[in-house]
Amino acid sequence: MTQFDEKSITPAVIARMTECQDPRFRQVMTSLITHLHDFIRDVKLTEEEWINAIMFLTDVGKTCTEKRQEFILLSDTLGVSILVITLNHPPEGDTTDSTVLGPYYWEGAPELPLGADLGIGVKGDPTYYSGRVLDETGKPIAGALLDIWSGDGEGTYDMQMEGDVGMKARGRIRTDDQGNYSFWSIRPENYPVPSDGPVGIMLRKMGRHPMRPGHIHMIVSAPKHHAVTTHLFAAQSKYLDSDAVFGVKDSLVTPFQHHDAGTAPDGSTRSGPYYTVNYDFRLRRA
Ligand code: BEZ
Ligand code: FE
């Protein structure tokens, strides 16, 4: 029989993996056990704190449904998601930075012609988005695909709207022969991540707000290139320095230029004020 003390328990647990056949799994578990035990010794975790943590994780699991993934939200709000993304997609030259996917991606948005309006029937200030998709050398990529989604001008996604409203503020746009893209949508507003569950309780206890700065999501892809999951953040947004999920990258913050009624860059006549955004994406060759 072997008895363990507060130090020797760690190598003892690790030593039980001698039969483990998967070297990577063994490496990950060894590090996890080491850090977990160090953390518990570091804060001298009490039994009450331990059971509270178990109950918290249990609640996180119970809050997950087909439409809600509270564990990913926990990962997002603890900076784990962006850490994993940044480690796996390190910045490379001028190529477009990655950020979080978030819970509101809906596969199968319709492919729309260049210049289409994704914001039909969506509350918010009309905004004309345009730019190019380039490769890492600056060469335009024809036929690149932008899979775009955002909340409305009040920060509400179609999936959160009352009733079954279907897809709103979503669409896929393909670049032309010169690598140009353009579409209309709305100017995205700040909004809170879901905070009516255990993660919300945790955020409040940490003294944190649940807000994200206004942003529009896109996955930009092209044959023979690495796809990038990213956002454009509105430069005027209030929460750029305190995004609840730490997703802001300086290179993704872009001005939304205000214009009075008149002729828009696509030649259309706007009867009210609108915004324009011009942004070039750069993809890394695969
Ligand atoms: C979002 O941007 O849609 C989002 C990202 C992470 C958590 C919640 C929402
Ligand atoms: Fe979002």
Side-chain angles (χ1 to χ4, degrees), residues 73 76 100 102-104 157 191 193 212 215 217 231 245:
L73 187 60
D76 292 343
V100 292
Y104 303 121
Y157 284 80
Y191 66 83
V193 300
R212 297 213 66 204
H215 60 272
H217 297 249
H231 302 358
V245 303

Side-chain angles (χ1 to χ4, degrees), residues 165-211:
V165 300
M167 287 194 180
K168 298 272 180 213
R170 295 177 192 271
R172 288 183 295 159
I173 299 283
R174 215 175 267 285
T175 57
D176 67 13
D177 289 349
Q178 282 79 48
N180 295 304
Y181 74 87
S182 61
F183 63 94
W184 286 89
S185 188
I186 51 84
R187 186 169 65 108
E189 216 7 288
N190 310 322
Y191 66 83
V193 300
S195 60
D196 57 344
V199 171
I201 295 172
M202 178 194 78
L203 289 177
R204 284 186 287 281
K205 190 142 188 183
M206 292 171 103
R208 288 172 54 182
H209 68 70
M211 300 300 292

Side-chain angles (χ1 to χ4, degrees), residues 219-264:
I219 300 172
V220 186
S221 62
K224 300 191 187 132
H225 291 79
H226 289 287
V228 63
T229 299
T230 193
H231 302 358
L232 295 181
F233 292 94
Q236 298 87 342
S237 290
K238 185 171 164 198
Y239 298 100
L240 287 172
D241 292 329
S242 61
D243 181 2
V245 303
F246 306 93
V248 178
K249 306 260 171 113
D250 292 344
S251 65
L252 304 178
V253 178
T254 188
F256 279 56
Q257 211 75 49
H258 180 272
H259 304 271
D260 292 324
T263 306

Side-chain angles (χ1 to χ4, degrees), residues 36-252:
L36 192 57
H37 287 202
D38 280 346
F39 152 71
I40 291 163
R41 283 185 284 259
D42 181 32
V43 299
K44 211 162 185 310
L45 199 73
T46 67
E47 284 168 297
E48 191 186 356
E49 289 163 341
W50 171 79
I51 193 66
N52 282 345
I54 300 282
M55 295 311 292
F56 171 74
L57 291 174
T58 305
D59 283 347
V60 170
K62 284 184 179 167
T63 307
C64 293
T65 65
E66 234 173 67
K67 289 195 166 168
R68 178 162 177 172
Q69 229 304 352
E70 195 79 354
F71 272 113
I72 295 185
L73 187 60
L74 179 62
S75 159
D76 292 343
T77 51
L78 291 180
V80 172
S81 308
I82 196 69
L83 176 56
V84 172
I85 290 164
T86 306
L87 274 174
N88 286 281
H89 305 271
E92 267 200 42
D94 287 338
T95 56
T96 303
D97 282 322
S98 303
T99 188
V100 292
L101 176 71
Y104 303 121
Y105 179 61
W106 190 342
E107 212 173 316
E111 186 165 337
L112 301 170
L114 277 169
D117 188 356
L118 279 56
I120 292 171
V122 176
K123 289 182 212 160
D125 300 324
T127 301
Y128 183 71
Y129 296 83
S130 64
R132 291 171 305 164
V133 179
L134 307 170
D135 72 9
E136 53 211 347
T137 68
K139 212 169 108 245
I141 306 177
L145 192 67
L146 283 81
D147 196 343
I148 303 149
W149 71 105
S150 76
D152 66 12
E154 295 175 353
T156 309
Y157 284 80
D158 48 12
M159 291 173 168
Q160 301 172 302
M161 291 172 187
E162 282 291 313
D164 185 6
V165 300
M167 287 194 180
K168 298 272 180 213
R170 295 177 192 271
R172 288 183 295 159
I173 299 283
R174 215 175 267 285
T175 57
D176 67 13
D177 289 349
Q178 282 79 48
N180 295 304
Y181 74 87
S182 61
F183 63 94
W184 286 89
S185 188
I186 51 84
R187 186 169 65 108
E189 216 7 288
N190 310 322
Y191 66 83
V193 300
S195 60
D196 57 344
V199 171
I201 295 172
M202 178 194 78
L203 289 177
R204 284 186 287 281
K205 190 142 188 183
M206 292 171 103
R208 288 172 54 182
H209 68 70
M211 300 300 292
R212 297 213 66 204
H215 60 272
I216 180 165
H217 297 249
M218 49 274 292
I219 300 172
V220 186
S221 62
K224 300 191 187 132
H225 291 79
H226 289 287
V228 63
T229 299
T230 193
H231 302 358
L232 295 181
F233 292 94
Q236 298 87 342
S237 290
K238 185 171 164 198
Y239 298 100
L240 287 172
D241 292 329
S242 61
D243 181 2
V245 303
F246 306 93
V248 178
K249 306 260 171 113
D250 292 344
S251 65
L252 304 178

